[in-house]
Amino acid sequence: MVTGAASGIGRATALNLAKEGADIVAGDLNGAGLQATCGEIENMGRRALAHELDVANSDQVAAFVKAALERFERIDVLMNIAGISPKQSFLDCTEEAWDRTHDVNLKGVMLCSQAVARHMVERRAGCIVSIASTCSEAVIPALGPFYHTSKAGVMQLTRYMAQELGPHGIRVNAIGPGLTETPLTEESRSFPEISEAMLSRIPMKRWGKPNDIARVALFLASDDAAYVTGQTIYVDGGILCMV
Ligand code: NAI
């Protein structure tokens, strides 16, 4: 199961998992994007189910998991990738933007993970990977205060879930991407002075690609990561070394 699968990192992750032989349940608010991702997956010879949902809505999350189980009978991997990043400064940030960002970025991870983990516990197997951010650790002022707090929450929730679910055979990890070329960062990349200032802080001297993140997600979902849990792995071209 992959949330945020209509675009960017979620789409790349769904396609990479399918390439390795997984059938995919793709969830997102964006129905047209979902259809495009699922079409590509089916062209690879895998099965795909597109399911429109708001990850912040518990009823819709319950329906998402029910649909996945009805179609595929078991869930091996959940990738929590859906996220938003409205940009407001601390002094200007609104209650509405604060609530929505935490609802999608943090509560969404909790709701999807809880619903899927209740099923994985019965099977005594499973793997959950969530997308945090370098903003879980460090401050990137342009991204606003609530993005930081929501993504720091994802890191801690990952640790909490790992300790509770480990005895049930479930691994839980997160990835902290650095600046990655997706529609989410299109606006920042369109301003040369912002883009140059960001690039100057990245040791690898390039933005990340969705596949840079997807390949690590694939590793975390695989048996190669059989003893890895509770971790947030930064895939950031080295930017965290610079702060
Ligand atoms: P994106 O905007 O390309 O994809 C995000 C997807 O999430 C979209 O398809 C959107 O429709 C979906 N979505 C948003 N709210 C939703 C909701 N309530 N329910 C269901 N789906 C929803 O952005 P990108 O960059 O691929 O972002 C993926 C994740 O990576 C996000 O959690 C983001 O915060 C995180 N991230 C991205 C970074 C970057 O530089 N692009 C850096 C660090 C973290």
Side-chain angles (χ1 to χ4, degrees), residues 6-35:
S7 175
I9 294 168
R11 178 179 169 281
T13 302
L15 295 179
N16 272 271
L17 283 165
K19 215 183 285 173
E20 293 298 320
D23 295 322
I24 304 292
V25 182
D28 205 293
L29 278 176
N30 172 354
L34 274 182
Q35 293 302 337

Side-chain angles (χ1 to χ4, degrees), residues 14-230:
L15 295 179
N16 272 271
L17 283 165
K19 215 183 285 173
E20 293 298 320
D23 295 322
I24 304 292
V25 182
D28 205 293
L29 278 176
N30 172 354
L34 274 182
Q35 293 302 337
T37 302
C38 288
E40 282 194 60
I41 291 168
E42 282 164 352
N43 286 341
M44 292 177 195
R46 304 311 316 170
R47 293 181 296 169
L49 175 65
H51 189 102
E52 267 184 64
L53 90 156
D54 179 347
V55 294
N57 179 308
S58 56
D59 290 340
Q60 292 183 31
V61 169
F64 179 48
V65 175
K66 187 165 176 275
L69 288 171
E70 277 171 6
R71 176 78 190 271
F72 294 118
E73 292 173 7
R74 67 167 214 266
I75 301 162
D76 299 312
V77 175
L78 168 67
M79 298 279 178
N80 289 307
I81 301 184
I84 54 172
S85 145
K87 294 162 186 64
Q88 291 176 353
S89 73
F90 173 70
L91 288 176
D92 294 334
C93 88
T94 60
E95 185 178 350
E96 188 189 10
W98 173 277
D99 287 346
R100 182 64 184 158
T101 306
H102 285 87
D103 280 355
V104 176
N105 291 3
L106 183 55
K107 191 172 87 174
V109 171
M110 193 283 288
L111 292 174
C112 292
S113 301
Q114 186 187 54
V116 169
R118 284 176 176 156
H119 155 75
M120 289 175 169
V121 160
E122 287 170 17
R123 295 185 52 236
R124 298 200 56 78
C127 168
I128 298 172
V129 178
S130 306
I131 297 295
S133 167
T134 44
C135 294
S136 304
E137 282 280 349
V139 171
I140 300 183
L143 294 179
F146 34 66
Y147 188 71
H148 290 74
T149 49
S150 68
K151 293 297 187 178
V154 170
M155 179 176 67
Q156 275 297 73
L157 181 60
T158 296
R159 290 174 173 150
Y160 194 93
M161 290 193 289
Q163 64 78 33
E164 184 168 328
L165 299 178
H168 298 281
I170 302 164
R171 293 186 301 103
V172 189
N173 291 290
I175 298 173
L179 301 162
T180 310
E181 285 175 6
T182 70
L184 196 76
T185 54
E186 207 166 333
E187 198 190 334
S188 313
R189 282 181 286 120
S190 70
F191 295 106
E193 63 283 8
I194 298 180
S195 189
E196 286 305 313
M198 287 178 165
L199 269 181
S200 72
R201 294 169 59 191
I202 304 174
M204 296 296 290
K205 295 298 168 210
R206 68 168 176 86
W207 286 68
K209 306 272 185 208
N211 252 350
D212 291 321
I213 316 303
R215 279 195 289 265
V216 176
L218 201 63
F219 160 71
L220 287 171
S222 76
D223 288 344
D224 289 340
Y227 200 51
V228 182
T229 197

